[in-house]
Amino acid sequence: MSDSSEALATHELRHHFENMEQQSGASSMGMWVFLITEIMFFGGMFMAYLAYRYEYFTAWQEGSQHMDFWIGTVNTAVLICSSLTMAMAVLAIQQGRRRLTSIMLTITLCFAIAFLVLKGIEYHGHWLAHEFPGPSFHFAGIDPRHVEMFFVLYFVMTGFHALHVLIGIGLVSTMLYMNERGHFSADYHNPIENVGLYWHFVDLVWIYLYPLLYLIGHHHVG
Amino acid sequence: MFDNFPLWPAIASNHALPVDLLYIFLVVLSAVMTLAIFATIAVFGLKYRRRHGREAHQIEGSLILEITWSVIPLGIFMVLFGWGAVIYFHERTPPRDSTEIYVVGKQWMWKVQHQEGQREINELHVPVDRDIKLIMTSQDVIHSFFVPAFRLKQDVLPGRYTTLWFHAIRPGTYHLFCAEYCGTQHSGMIGSIIVLNPADYEAWLSGGGGEGSLASTGQKLFQQLGCGSCHRSDTQGRGPNLVGVFGKPVLLDDGRTVTADENYVRESILNPGAKIAAGFKNIMPSFQGVVNEEQLLSLVAYIKSLQGSAGAPASNQAAAPNTSAKPRVK
Amino acid sequence: MEHIVSAKIYFTVWAVLMCLTVTTAAVSYLDLGAFSIVVALIIATLKGSLVVLFFMHAKYINVKATLLVILAGFFWLIILLLMTMTDYITRAWS
Amino acid sequence: MATATTVTAERENYLNASYGFRSWLLTTDHKRIALLYLISITFFFFIGGFFALLIRLELLTPQGDLVQADTYNKLFSMHGQVMIFFFLIPAVPAVLGNFLVPMMIGAKDLAFPRINLLSWYLFIIGGGLMLYTILTGGVDTGWTFYVPLSTAFLGTHVVLAAVSIFIAGFSSILTGLNFIVTIHRMRAPGMTWGRMPLFLWSNYATAIIQVLGTPVLAISLSLVGLERLFHLGVFNPQLGGDPLLFQHLFWFYSHPAVYIMILPGMGVVSEIIPCFSRKRVFGYEFVALASIGIAVLGFLVWAHHMFVAGISVYSAMVFSFFSYLVAVPSAIKVFNWTATMYKGKIYYTTPMLYAMGFIGLFTMGGMTGLFLASLGVDVHVTDTYFVVAHFHYIMVGGMVMAYLAGMHFWWPKITGRMYPEGWGRLAALTIFIGFNLTFFPQFILGWTGMPRRYHAYPAEFQVLNVLSTAGSTVLAVGYLLPMVYFLWSLRYGKEAGDNPWGAAGLEWKTTSPPPTYNFEETPVVTWEAYNYDDLPKEVPVVG
Ligand code: HEA
Ligand code: HEA
Ligand code: CUA
Ligand SMILES: [Cu+2]
């Protein structure tokens, strides 16, 4: 495309920056600032989790036993693998290997979709087990109300996480598309790097969600 | 003070004076500081106002001054903090033998239950010169029990008990306000606190058509709900013997220990599984939705009254169906 | 200008992350009482640090301010959690 | 000075560089975006002010006779939400900050111009939703959205209002993000941190709060929304949810947010006082670091809004303690501003009058904050008009004054025209008098026990309420005046020249109005901030 090369030129150094280094430094710093707002956003939910776990210890133990341990564990592995491929995508474009970049981005996408599919299966299981909070919630064991609260937090936290995965899929797809159109090169690839940062952040959140939701009560069933 | 133009709220409880003293101190302090700053600005403003031929002196700053005006305010602030904290701590620690009165807030009224059985709405009669402790909860949203003449305020929360204590020092009628925004008629959720001389108070007590003491209401309920089928006065019941439990530490089956206060008893009735007494199974059904806040309070009052050998729980009462209890109003 | 991390490092980090995942999953079968959550969180933090340091290049950032930003994020998270817990933990005291 | 109103062949500047709606709505020029913000927030200020007037009218008599109780509740809720989220939080950062931050550090623009534009669009979307909420029946949660009232008991547009604030919050985050990166990465050669104007320091501190605090507001409002929409009742007492948890999360943002609302104003004042005293600011480092100190300590005090809410006694003490600590840096600032006037050459221009008003009223508001931070006194005065008076003293007396001070000070730079000085002083005086008449009586009302958010009140409080209402009409006139003469000056104002005040700061080194990229060539800074010894000894426009 003719305008893509033009876009390339204008994207390389935007008028208000003095040089490329200032531009890419600003861009990655901006991304980090954005990510810490994300930390605080999830922080609010972790706060709720912490306070209630402190107050309703037994119910948390109970609730955690009703997680799907295997899906949770596999999903953890899936996200870690996707982080690797994302990192490889960034590496590839740093080296100017556009084709490899596209391949890596595609694999990342596959992992992301796999994660969501597994999550969907898991949610479906909870639905069948009447573990969705609300009027249909049913729990036979000890302290059902507080266990319901555990599930509320489970759905809120994993729900917001899944939303971030979804956004991530959108972003990675965009990168893939732009890369195919030749927007990126060894000299200019800030967007891919930033999407990479975003994606690793999504992984990071899950790394904490996994033990907090799936593992705390696991040994009782094990 | 003035009927139409009050400058000072009535002083009617033991907390009023300490709060007023601190307040006066703060008023004087801030008046002095504010005037000092206004005066300095005015003096500088006049003395150094622009005049032809005068130039500004360039001054960088002064470390000594900076330290002075950081450390001195800090010192003053610490005094304020300590003073305020002491008052607050005192306000939040009710004396052991206070008379307990139960309060339920709901949109948009205050319901009061006395130990002796009297019930009131939007009014609270208390005797002068006695320590009173209010145990309060809300049936719906957050309200706040506010008596300006007592300098007291405490939010009233759904799902939990909060307390307040005072010692009225002057007979009279005082405002009771709801101070936490609670919906349409928030400003209509007002009432009066009527502080009576001991004699008048006795007269009021005997005048009211109480249906027996609160604890006895609780006892009846205890029987109706079949609590007694598990909670017996010996050690044979399926549930723990409740005599003497209140106020004592309870060992839980996960190893933690909690004090059996009002909130614990409340939770034990509504969410028995949340904290399980050691040595027992989680078989107690939840009474959430079966008893309303007022009934809950009478149960609490009853369990509280089970100290030592006094009225033991009715032991061999057959488990009555729950139908007699009013469903929880929402 | 920018640091290029070798593929070897990425793969190593990935392998360690996978191992840690298996470990934490395996440990969850043991009943460590109150410690199981501690162990799980320590492992999670290890994994998290690896992701931040290597995948997210925090180890190679040469702009001090960006590092400050990252630290600030975690510091403020801790403020939120700790200061709120001062309330929950001491509620039962009085 | 050129008194001519004739339009000479103007130099090219950011205003006349291009014409048409498109050139404004798609602009990435920080100065144009600042003007877009200016128009938007002025609009919201008058909406919020309109609600305020209705509140005051209702409170003229003890009975609730002007509007229904529900309507009254909507009035103060929407007054609070509009004023805070759609006026005061963006006021100085998004208007003056946007305009000045790049210029003051000698950059061509903010680091992310398109994100800057995006932030305005988010603001407009949020604002549009808020307007829609208002027009379709409003919301009556109070500005605090306390649960479970907001989640389970109100039938109004709670979710809509929450979404609108969520979006406006994002706009605020993006502004903060832009400022942080810009100040770190875009400073002109020689513009070290120690040479930055204090306005930048305070906007930087503000940005820290915006970035770290706002997401927590976002999540707490989201949780309210989820509870209403999907029964995901994180705060639902029926499931053991704790209403206080919401309050913790809400105030974790909303207390620091009050510093979002004051720090930029402090920055404005730190520019104006030196300029009209013709001397360096006293104790530069201390004023600069005090801003950062406030931003950090400000995050440790939030539960002072919850002293009677049912938090633990010990926790209350911790938060009370930190509330006193955070007052120290504010004190340092007040003392340094005052000391700056010492041996200066003081000009009573409109901005200076506002700035002096700011010091006085902020001090009074801050001092009464000390009453509230004191546990013993707060139990009595919390949720009364004492609190209402406290925060209006700081936010209206302090911040709105600072905002007006800044608008007058930089008006010549923004538009290239002078405002009429006489009218300016008159308005400043009117506002000062009207303000005190409106809000001083409220301290007494609060202390004697009148609760806030009351639609009707006991008759004994009437006299003071009447005074307050009277004051608010004076205040309204005071606020209308600048509207009128600012608009007037766009056409008839004297031409300002590049540096009418003889002020320090890079923004005065370029033309008025500035060209699109601010400077002909990137400036190189070799001097300290506030180098008034190198500048004209007199203020040029005044002489
Ligand atoms: C811009 C907004 C702003 C600012 C800057 C402040 C600043 C302060 N605020 Fe305020 N506050 C609000 C806006 C603000 N507040 C709002 C909106 C509410 C109500 C919210 C609601 O419920 O709707 C509120 C409520 C509020 C409460 C809760 C009241 C209640 O509901 O019970 C408290 C309690 O501690 C408090 C304290 C303080 C303190 C200690 C400061 C300090 O930072 C002040 C520091 C400044 C000074 C102290 C003055 C200068 C100092 C000197 C001149 C030194 C000399 C003095 C001596 C030596 C004594 N504020
Ligand atoms: C930035 C913040 C800000 C600002 C600027 C103001 C400005 C004013 N506020 Fe407000 N106020 C709050 C923030 C603010 N307020 C908050 C957060 C609350 C708490 C809400 C809650 O409880 O949830 C509150 C609550 C509040 C109350 C308490 C209500 C109650 O508790 O029942 C009162 C009562 O007097 C009041 C009055 C005023 C007045 C008279 C002004 C005046 O300064 C306003 C002056 C401005 C004007 C008068 C505009 C002039 C315009 C015109 C004259 C034109 C008319 C307009 C049209 C025709 C469209 N405010
Ligand atoms: Cu009940 Cu306000
Ligand atoms: Cu505060």
Side-chain angles (χ1 to χ4, degrees):
Chain A
M1 294 289 285
S2 63
D3 64 312
S4 80
S5 57
E6 189 190 298
L8 197 100
T10 52
H11 274 106
E12 269 185 1
L13 182 61
R14 310 236 322 127
H15 64 79
H16 58 289
F17 287 110
E18 295 292 322
N19 53 42
M20 279 306 274
E21 179 167 4
Q22 190 187 36
Q23 170 164 327
S24 77
S27 135
S28 95
M29 182 172 178
M31 192 61 201
W32 271 106
V33 175
F34 175 73
L35 288 184
I36 66 173
T37 72
E38 290 275 30
I39 293 182
M40 296 309 288
F41 184 82
F42 278 95
M45 287 179 266
F46 281 109
M47 184 61 244
Y49 174 95
L50 182 62
Y52 292 159
R53 176 175 152 98
Y54 177 80
E55 303 238 302
Y56 313 125
F57 188 80
T58 347
W60 250 231
Q61 217 73 3
E62 284 273 309
S64 171
Q65 287 170 29
H66 290 258
M67 296 288 99
D68 195 319
F69 174 75
W70 284 109
I71 297 192
T73 310
V74 171
N75 257 345
T76 312
V78 167
L79 277 192
I80 289 176
C81 296
S82 77
S83 255
L84 174 71
T85 55
M86 190 71 226
M88 294 304 292
V90 173
L91 176 63
I93 196 68
Q94 280 174 335
Q95 297 167 339
R97 297 153 76 183
R98 253 184 236 168
R99 180 138 180 76
L100 183 61
T101 308
S102 284
I103 294 174
M104 284 301 160
L105 288 175
T106 314
I107 303 180
T108 309
L109 272 181
C110 293
F111 278 127
I113 291 165
F115 177 89
L116 284 184
V117 169
L118 284 173
K119 199 80 224 154
I121 295 174
E122 203 182 348
Y123 277 4
H124 184 67
H126 291 303
W127 173 253
L128 294 182
H130 294 282
E131 284 162 352
F132 266 59
S136 66
F137 184 86
H138 179 77
F139 184 81
I142 295 178
D143 202 4
R145 288 175 204 276
H146 296 155
V147 173
E148 185 171 347
M149 182 58 87
F150 175 84
F151 276 99
V152 167
L153 277 174
Y154 164 77
F155 281 108
V156 169
M157 293 171 102
T158 56
F160 271 115
H161 180 263
L163 185 69
H164 279 76
V165 175
L166 212 62
I167 297 173
I169 291 180
L171 292 175
V172 175
S173 316
T174 315
M175 289 306 108
L176 186 58
Y177 174 78
M178 286 170 74
N179 189 47
E180 286 297 301
R181 307 249 326 224
H183 278 259
F184 302 124
S185 63
D187 295 327
Y188 173 73
H189 49 256
N190 284 334
I192 297 198
E193 261 178 49
N194 285 345
V195 169
L197 284 176
Y198 178 86
W199 189 255
H200 298 309
F201 172 81
V202 172
D203 187 16
L204 181 64
V205 172
W206 185 261
I207 283 178
Y208 279 93
L209 287 181
Y210 170 59
L212 289 180
L213 295 172
Y214 292 82
L215 300 185
I216 52 168
H218 181 235
H219 55 263
H220 290 291
V221 270
Chain B
M1 211 163 260
F2 308 106
D3 272 356
N4 274 322
F5 189 42
L7 292 173
W8 209 265
I11 297 175
S13 87
N14 61 323
H15 301 303
L17 219 55
V19 173
D20 287 7
L21 279 181
L22 175 52
Y23 180 76
I24 292 169
F25 179 77
L26 277 160
V27 170
V28 172
L29 175 74
S30 41
V32 169
M33 284 307 298
T34 312
L35 286 180
I37 288 169
F38 274 51
T40 318
I41 293 182
V43 169
F44 288 176
L46 290 176
K47 199 158 164 214
Y48 306 118
R49 75 178 175 281
R50 122 184 109 94
R51 245 172 270 137
H52 276 291
R54 241 202 75 248
E55 272 186 25
H57 286 252
Q58 300 301 327
I59 304 167
E60 286 291 316
S62 147
L63 186 62
I64 296 174
L65 271 179
E66 300 288 350
I67 291 176
T68 318
W69 63 46
S70 321
V71 171
I72 293 181
L74 181 66
I76 300 178
F77 293 165
M78 288 303 100
V79 172
L80 295 177
F81 162 70
W83 190 344
V86 168
I87 296 178
Y88 183 75
F89 194 79
H90 184 64
E91 278 175 1
R92 303 281 130 166
T93 357
R96 285 209 176 286
D97 50 356
S98 351
T99 307
E100 290 176 353
I101 298 176
Y102 297 88
V103 177
V104 177
K106 65 169 272 201
Q107 288 177 325
W108 291 275
M109 60 165 82
W110 296 103
K111 296 189 282 188
V112 177
Q113 306 182 41
H114 292 260
Q115 295 281 1
E116 293 79 4
Q118 266 76 9
R119 285 155 184 272
E120 311 181 59
I121 286 185
N122 290 343
E123 276 191 359
L124 168 62
H125 287 77
V126 290
V128 76
D129 280 337
R130 201 190 295 169
D131 294 337
I132 309 280
K133 177 178 170 191
L134 303 181
I135 296 171
M136 311 186 289
T137 189
S138 161
Q139 216 166 285
D140 36 48
V141 301
I142 304 178
H143 305 276
S144 189
F145 194 92
F146 175 31
V147 187
F150 292 176
R151 310 288 186 275
L152 276 186
K153 187 181 290 118
Q154 172 62 54
D155 282 9
V156 175
L157 302 165
R160 211 181 118 188
Y161 293 126
T162 51
T163 61
L164 198 62
W165 84 274
F166 57 85
H167 181 114
I169 56 172
R170 194 170 299 166
T173 303
Y174 306 103
H175 283 300
L176 160 62
F177 292 125
C178 173
E180 183 67 64
Y181 173 58
C182 54
T184 312
Q185 284 303 332
H186 163 59
S187 62
M189 193 166 161
I190 57 179
S192 4
I193 309 286
I194 299 143
V195 179
L196 299 171
N197 285 315
D200 295 340
Y201 183 68
E202 288 311 317
W204 177 80
L205 268 188
S206 52
E211 322 111 37
S213 75
L214 192 59
S216 70
T217 315
Q219 181 172 21
K220 276 192 220 110
L221 207 58
F222 197 79
Q223 291 165 3
Q224 281 167 7
L225 295 172
C227 316
S229 59
C230 299
H231 297 289
R232 311 197 329 187
S233 54
D234 49 31
T235 47
Q236 307 301 304
R238 289 189 289 161
N241 179 350
L242 296 180
V243 176
V245 162
F246 191 85
K248 306 273 156 47
V250 178
L251 183 66
L252 302 182
D253 77 340
D254 58 12
R256 292 182 298 165
T257 310
V258 293
T259 309
D261 57 4
E262 290 89 359
N263 274 315
Y264 173 75
V265 173
R266 175 197 175 87
E267 188 175 45
S268 294
I269 298 172
L270 297 181
N271 271 311
K275 298 198 174 80
I276 298 172
F280 291 90
K281 286 212 207 58
N282 177 45
I283 47 168
M284 175 166 163
S286 161
F287 288 85
Q288 187 152 21
V290 178
V291 292
N292 65 28
E293 290 294 345
E294 283 147 279
Q295 294 171 323
L296 206 50
L297 279 171
S298 66
L299 283 172
V300 171
Y302 171 60
I303 289 169
K304 252 191 209 178
S305 73
L306 297 175
Q307 298 301 357
S309 56
S315 49
N316 37 22
Q317 191 77 31
N322 295 336
T323 45
S324 55
K326 264 191 293 169
R328 187 181 141 89
V329 269
K330 213 180 168 188
Chain C
M1 186 176 122
E2 76 181 351
H3 194 96
I4 297 192
V5 186
S6 74
K8 208 166 114 201
I9 291 187
Y10 284 146
F11 273 97
T12 319
V13 170
W14 171 80
V16 176
L17 284 174
M18 290 305 261
C19 288
L20 285 173
T21 306
V22 173
T23 315
T24 190
V27 168
S28 80
Y29 281 92
L30 308 174
D31 188 347
L32 301 177
F35 273 104
S36 57
I37 178 91
V38 179
V39 174
L41 281 182
I42 289 178
I43 297 183
T45 305
L46 269 176
K47 287 162 72 180
S49 319
L50 287 176
V51 171
V52 172
L53 286 175
F54 293 97
F55 283 167
M56 297 173 92
H57 296 183
K59 190 169 182 302
Y60 311 103
I61 291 178
N62 47 16
V63 184
K64 276 209 207 71
T66 308
L67 284 177
L68 203 66
V69 169
I70 301 174
L71 289 180
F74 289 101
F75 180 68
W76 255 264
L77 176 64
I78 289 171
I79 293 182
L80 170 63
L81 301 180
L82 258 180
M83 292 291 283
T84 313
M85 285 318 279
T86 61
D87 176 15
Y88 286 91
I89 289 173
T90 57
R91 266 189 209 174
W93 289 7
S94 32
Chain D
M1 281 265 71
T3 49
T5 51
T6 49
V7 185
T8 42
E10 278 184 52
R11 266 176 308 199
E12 168 153 314
N13 62 49
Y14 78 104
L15 292 169
N16 63 15
S18 53
Y19 292 97
F21 268 114
R22 254 179 78 90
S23 77
W24 281 87
L25 294 180
L26 296 180
T27 181
T28 51
D29 182 347
H30 64 104
K31 297 181 288 303
R32 287 194 165 201
I33 295 174
L35 290 194
L36 292 175
Y37 262 116
L38 174 64
I39 295 164
S40 334
I41 68 160
T42 308
F43 174 73
F44 279 108
F45 174 71
F46 280 96
I47 301 221
F50 176 66
F51 291 143
L53 288 181
L54 289 179
I55 292 176
R56 284 314 327 161
L57 274 182
E58 166 63 67
L59 296 178
L60 201 53
T61 56
Q63 309 79 22
D65 39 15
L66 179 68
V67 294
Q68 303 274 301
D70 270 328
T71 315
Y72 181 81
N73 295 342
K74 289 176 185 167
L75 284 177
F76 70 71
S77 303
M78 296 181 307
H79 166 67
Q81 290 173 10
V82 166
M83 281 297 200
I84 291 209
F85 297 110
F86 297 96
F87 169 64
L88 206 56
I89 286 183
V92 172
V95 178
L96 293 172
N98 244 334
F99 197 92
L100 295 166
V101 166
M103 262 191 259
M104 283 185 166
I105 59 173
K108 296 195 188 101
D109 205 324
L110 287 171
F112 308 112
R114 281 178 297 186
I115 287 184
N116 197 18
L117 182 64
L118 174 67
S119 101
W120 180 73
Y121 274 103
L122 287 175
F123 179 83
I124 289 301
I125 295 172
L129 274 177
M130 181 47 77
L131 275 185
Y132 178 78
T133 311
I134 291 171
L135 293 176
T136 54
V139 61
D140 55 351
T141 51
W143 82 280
T144 48
F145 285 90
Y146 272 17
V147 299
L149 182 66
S150 65
T151 48
F153 291 85
L154 296 177
T156 49
H157 298 301
V158 182
V159 176
L160 215 58
V163 171
S164 87
I165 291 173
F166 182 100
I167 296 176
F170 250 90
S171 142
S172 169
I173 290 179
L174 294 181
T175 305
L177 186 154
N178 233 328
F179 283 5
I180 290 184
V181 178
T182 307
I183 292 177
H184 270 288
R185 307 292 301 166
M186 311 281 287
R187 279 172 285 125
M191 177 56 87
T192 58
W193 285 83
R195 286 178 179 166
M196 284 193 333
L198 290 166
F199 182 77
L200 291 179
W201 278 95
S202 56
N203 271 285
Y204 181 75
T206 308
I208 295 179
I209 305 177
Q210 287 176 305
V211 161
L212 288 161
T214 319
V216 180
L217 175 74
I219 183 66
S220 30
L221 292 180
S222 308
L223 292 177
V224 167
L226 288 178
E227 185 155 350
R228 278 185 81 94
L229 294 174
F230 304 117
H231 298 289
L232 285 170
V234 174
F235 309 116
N236 181 355
Q238 302 264 307
L239 304 183
D242 183 5
L244 292 192
L245 180 66
F246 172 82
Q247 298 181 18
H248 276 301
L249 293 177
F250 180 83
W251 292 115
F252 178 86
Y253 164 75
S254 291
H255 179 81
V258 310
Y259 297 117
I260 298 181
M261 294 183 259
I262 199 72
L263 280 167
M266 294 172 154
V268 169
V269 171
S270 305
E271 297 299 310
I272 291 174
I273 305 251
C275 176
F276 296 110
S277 307
R278 309 310 299 160
K279 71 194 268 284
R280 278 186 66 85
V281 69
F282 194 89
Y284 171 91
E285 296 87 356
F286 291 89
V287 183
L289 290 179
S291 292
I292 308 294
I294 291 177
V296 176
L297 286 174
F299 273 95
L300 303 176
V301 310
W302 74 80
H304 67 204
H305 296 271
M306 302 162 64
F307 286 157
V308 303
I311 59 171
S312 97
V313 176
Y314 302 95
S315 179
M317 289 185 186
V318 172
F319 282 100
S320 166
F321 175 79
F322 281 115
S323 303
Y324 280 109
L325 279 197
V326 76
V328 175
S330 301
I332 294 180
K333 289 193 171 218
V334 169
F335 293 130
N336 278 299
W337 292 322
T338 312
T340 303
M341 291 171 67
Y342 177 65
K343 292 202 171 169
K345 177 172 187 180
I346 294 164
Y347 284 75
Y348 293 101
T349 54
T350 309
M352 186 64 172
L353 290 183
Y354 277 115
M356 287 162 67
F358 170 93
I359 301 184
L361 299 180
F362 170 72
T363 301
M364 289 180 70
M367 294 283 203
T368 50
L370 301 177
F371 288 51
L372 297 170
S374 162
L375 289 158
V377 172
D378 184 66
V379 170
H380 175 58
V381 293
T382 180
D383 278 321
T384 67
Y385 265 81
F386 193 93
V387 177
V388 176
H390 155 69
F391 65 73
H392 283 91
Y393 258 81
I394 297 197
M395 301 203 296
V396 184
M399 186 60 174
V400 177
M401 282 239 174
Y403 170 65
L404 288 172
M407 285 309 297
H408 285 84
F409 187 59
W410 282 291
W411 190 252
K413 181 55 61 182
I414 297 174
T415 63
R417 304 273 181 170
M418 296 303 292
Y419 60 86
E421 185 62 38
W423 284 101
R425 291 186 201 174
L426 180 68
L429 206 66
T430 315
I431 291 175
F432 188 81
I433 294 171
F435 174 81
N436 281 295
L437 190 55
T438 312
F439 292 107
F440 196 82
Q442 296 187 357
F443 282 124
I444 306 173
L445 277 174
W447 171 248
T448 48
M450 177 167 164
R452 63 192 280 205
R453 298 169 168 179
Y454 261 33
H455 165 235
Y457 54 87
E460 71 241 37
F461 297 126
Q462 186 171 10
V463 175
L464 288 164
N465 270 300
V466 171
L467 283 180
S468 177
T469 303
S472 67
T473 56
V474 179
L475 199 50
V477 174
Y479 286 132
L480 282 174
L481 279 177
M483 267 300 279
V484 176
Y485 64 71
F486 272 148
L487 287 175
W488 174 89
S489 76
L490 285 182
R491 227 194 132 102
Y492 305 105
K494 282 190 292 189
E495 276 193 44
D498 293 349
N499 191 357
W501 308 124
L506 283 175
E507 78 272 27
W508 299 107
K509 297 230 177 325
T510 180
T511 49
S512 310
T516 304
Y517 292 131
N518 298 343
F519 301 97
E520 302 296 326
E521 56 193 85
T522 306
V524 177
V525 183
T526 53
W527 57 88
E528 303 298 309
Y530 308 104
N531 54 336
Y532 280 99
D533 33 356
D534 302 337
L535 288 160
K537 303 293 178 242
E538 328 226 285
V539 171
V541 276
V542 189

